[in-house]
Amino acid sequence: MTTPKQEQAIIKKLEKLAILNDPINPDLYKKYDVKRGLRNANGTGVLVGLTRIGDVVGYEIKDGQKIAVPGKLIYRGYDVEDLINDSKVNKQYGYEQAAYLLLFGELPSQEQLDTFSKYLGECRVLPSNFTEDMIMKAPSNDIMNKIARGVLACYSYDDNPEDRSIGNIVKQCIQLIARFSTLAAYGYQAKRRYYDNKSMYIHNPKPELSTAENFLRLIRSDKSYTQLETEILDLALILHAEHGGGNNSSLTVHVVSSADTDTYSAIAAAVGSLKGSRHGGANIRVVEMMDEIKANVKDWTNEKEVAEYLRKIVDKKAFDHTGKIYGIGHAVYTISDPREKLLKAKAKELAKEKGCLEDYALYDIIERLAPAIIQEKHPSAERVCANVDLYSGFVYTMLNIPRELFTPLFAISRIAGWSAHRIEEVVSGGRIYRPAYKNVSETRPFIPLQNRK
């Protein structure tokens, strides 16, 4: 039997071999005109598909030049800001309407929305014995891992999981949209019990409540919440529900669905993509960065002091030494991120209710100062603006939502967009994704086993 010490030594040797044999000369990417990360040289994405679901507008191409414009987020042809304002006017939670629009391509009537919301509510309860067998008996220290496993486990509770007719896929997607908040909340409760040695609270979701209301109910011991708390969480869910077909997790849904696999496999793959720190975990990095700024800047209202520390971060002398000011900059938005603008306005309301206006003011200072400081360090780079992650983590913190649930909240929201992309790929795709990779290794003469050293 291999001992742990022997295993460690074996892995160390294998690690050296892996590192030695996998590096690729960066010059080769230029030589073969490789679009690394599926991005063009000017930062725009390589066009690999068409979609009718969402659009992320941050620039226009005129005479071959990329021209920055104020950011817009479009769901099925409608500006997301109009969708949010409509929910305000009608005094309704808006995430369910956003999910309906993304799935079916049209704004629902009140009757259609009520029927859809009722069905979602009924589907929030997990199948019989699922909580005990699939969550409590196999807890995870990472909630995204638990959600992915939960999604795959749903396959076993589906009477017809391999039916890839559109009607069945729609049914599967609606059930997953409903269940994601429950999977995340119960996964968190199991983590509290088995990893944090804290009390665990398993509350039943209420079918008449919205996604935002149910989530706060399920993660809190007393099941209580205020109207403003659920309103701002609902807003965050709407703003994260979709972001075009080119973001990594939505592209993952298209790629995996193009292989003609089942819904659960495609959505679990998307969860795995979002779990990555380069995709779904940015707001956690923001609040961690803010913790360090608060600990090292004596006067949060002193813009000179704040700017000095931001320069340390950009110079890789502070925080995580990457040179990144988290929450600033985006792949598409350069003038403004419409999600950030909408969430920031509501965040100020919540900051007043929670007594966090000093914190809000610090975020505002960083939003104003950081772009110019980044430009000082990188004068040839494109202009940057604050993105939604700057305020989303702050909002979740004020809602007393644990940090390990920040990325799961993203998934709870984005499952609506993923579902829409899953359906779109099955309806309109019809061809498996098969991009090319250029082999740049040399041909070598084979060495028989007995002659190897």
Side-chain angles (χ1 to χ4, degrees):
M1 184 73 176
T2 304
T3 67
K5 189 174 182 180
Q6 289 171 329
E7 181 186 40
Q8 188 177 16
I10 291 169
I11 295 300
K12 199 69 180 173
K13 289 180 180 178
L14 295 175
E15 178 188 36
K16 287 180 180 178
L17 283 174
I19 293 172
L20 179 67
N21 287 302
D22 273 347
I24 294 174
N25 186 337
D27 293 339
L28 293 177
Y29 290 100
K30 188 173 181 180
K31 176 181 178 181
Y32 294 110
D33 192 27
V34 176
K35 311 294 187 183
R36 299 187 73 181
L38 289 180
R39 296 188 187 188
N40 297 309
N42 64 358
T44 60
V46 173
L47 188 61
V48 298
L50 303 173
T51 184
R52 295 176 62 89
I53 297 167
D55 196 11
V56 183
V57 181
Y59 58 83
E60 296 174 351
I61 302 296
K62 292 184 177 178
D63 300 323
Q65 297 295 313
K66 182 179 172 185
I67 309 298
V69 298
K72 281 187 176 295
L73 178 57
I74 308 298
Y75 290 177
R76 293 287 191 175
Y78 299 104
D79 192 315
V80 74
E81 189 167 358
D82 292 331
L83 197 66
I84 290 164
N85 289 334
D86 182 68
S87 296
K88 283 183 188 176
V89 169
N90 291 288
K91 297 181 180 179
Q92 294 180 328
Y93 293 101
Y95 176 71
E96 288 69 30
Q97 179 174 217
Y100 184 101
L101 173 63
L102 291 170
L103 284 174
F104 307 116
E106 297 294 342
L107 293 168
S109 66
Q110 187 64 61
E111 182 181 356
Q112 289 171 325
L113 179 57
D114 290 344
T115 300
F116 179 70
S117 298
K118 182 174 182 290
Y119 184 52
L120 273 180
E122 292 170 351
C123 292
R124 291 193 204 284
V125 178
L126 300 179
S128 179
N129 299 321
F130 189 103
T131 302
E132 294 82 358
D133 294 343
M134 297 298 172
I135 299 178
M136 298 306 162
K137 289 182 180 178
S140 175
N141 196 36
D142 187 283
I143 312 305
M144 289 295 283
N145 173 270
K146 187 72 258 179
I147 292 174
R149 289 160 64 191
V151 170
L152 290 174
C154 285
Y155 181 103
S156 301
Y157 291 78
D158 188 331
D159 293 334
N160 205 7
E162 290 290 345
D163 178 359
R164 286 188 279 287
S165 66
I166 299 304
N168 195 57
I169 291 175
V170 167
K171 177 184 174 183
Q172 291 170 333
C173 287
I174 291 174
Q175 289 178 343
L176 287 174
I177 292 170
R179 290 174 181 172
F180 257 53
S181 56
T182 310
L183 287 171
Y186 287 1
Y188 165 67
Q189 295 295 351
K191 175 187 178 295
R192 280 175 57 89
R193 169 67 180 84
Y194 294 103
Y195 289 90
D196 303 337
N197 296 314
K198 296 179 180 178
S199 297
M200 177 175 68
Y201 305 94
I202 300 296
H203 308 308
N204 292 324
K206 284 192 170 183
E208 68 272 20
L209 299 181
S210 69
T211 303
E213 291 172 303
N214 261 306
F215 182 73
L216 292 181
R217 169 187 164 80
L218 294 181
I219 67 169
R220 293 179 173 178
S221 59
D222 61 1
K223 300 178 280 189
S224 66
Y225 47 80
T226 69
Q227 181 69 27
L228 181 56
E229 285 181 323
T230 53
E231 285 177 1
I232 196 166
L233 183 56
D234 180 67
L235 172 62
L237 292 175
I238 297 169
L239 294 174
H240 288 89
E242 161 63 3
H243 215 234
N247 69 83
N248 197 277
S249 54
S250 294
L251 177 62
T252 297
V253 171
H254 279 280
V255 172
V256 177
S257 294
S258 78
D260 192 31
T261 191
D262 66 278
T263 297
Y264 304 105
S265 294
I267 299 301
V271 175
S273 166
L274 190 68
K275 180 178 181 285
S277 60
R278 292 177 181 169
H279 190 7
N283 52 18
I284 299 175
R285 301 300 283 154
V286 171
V287 293
E288 290 171 345
M289 178 187 74
M290 294 301 292
D291 287 343
E292 179 163 312
I293 291 172
K294 290 175 185 177
N296 288 278
V297 175
K298 292 181 180 179
D299 183 358
W300 299 357
T301 65
N302 188 316
E303 294 193 5
K304 185 177 179 182
E305 279 190 50
V306 174
E308 285 176 0
Y309 205 81
L310 291 176
R311 287 190 178 91
K312 286 183 180 179
I313 293 175
V314 171
D315 289 336
K316 302 182 181 181
K317 296 177 181 177
F319 189 45
D320 62 359
H321 305 286
T322 63
K324 296 178 181 178
I325 300 179
Y326 292 93
I328 305 295
H330 190 269
V332 179
Y333 304 124
T334 54
I335 293 178
S336 61
D337 179 342
R339 304 167 302 168
E340 181 269 342
K341 179 183 69 172
L342 292 162
L343 193 60
K344 179 183 179 182
K346 199 72 175 176
K348 189 171 186 179
E349 287 184 48
L350 189 63
K352 288 179 182 177
E353 182 178 278
K354 300 291 185 179
C356 296
L357 284 174
E358 286 186 9
D359 296 78
Y360 176 85
L362 178 58
Y363 277 86
D364 181 65
I365 288 173
I366 290 170
E367 179 183 354
R368 289 187 284 106
L369 298 182
I373 290 169
I374 292 171
Q375 200 76 42
E376 286 175 15
K377 184 70 176 179
H378 307 285
S380 62
E382 284 187 320
R383 63 182 291 178
V384 293
C385 64
N387 64 55
V388 70
D389 292 316
L390 184 65
Y391 288 96
S392 62
F394 176 45
V395 164
Y396 300 155
T397 301
M398 288 191 289
L399 292 174
N400 202 28
I401 294 172
R403 290 182 186 181
E404 58 261 49
L405 281 170
F406 285 11
T407 307
L409 260 174
F410 197 158
I412 290 167
S413 171
R414 187 57 63 84
I415 176 59
W418 290 338
S419 296
H421 284 285
R422 160 78 176 158
I423 295 166
E424 184 176 64
E425 182 63 40
V426 174
V427 171
S428 302
R431 192 172 191 182
I432 191 170
Y433 276 73
R434 183 60 174 86
Y437 264 67
K438 174 73 176 176
N439 180 29
V440 292
S441 66
E442 69 279 5
T443 301
R444 298 182 287 178
F446 186 81
I447 303 171
L449 179 59
Q450 62 270 25
N451 296 338
R452 298 175 206 161
K453 295 180 182 179

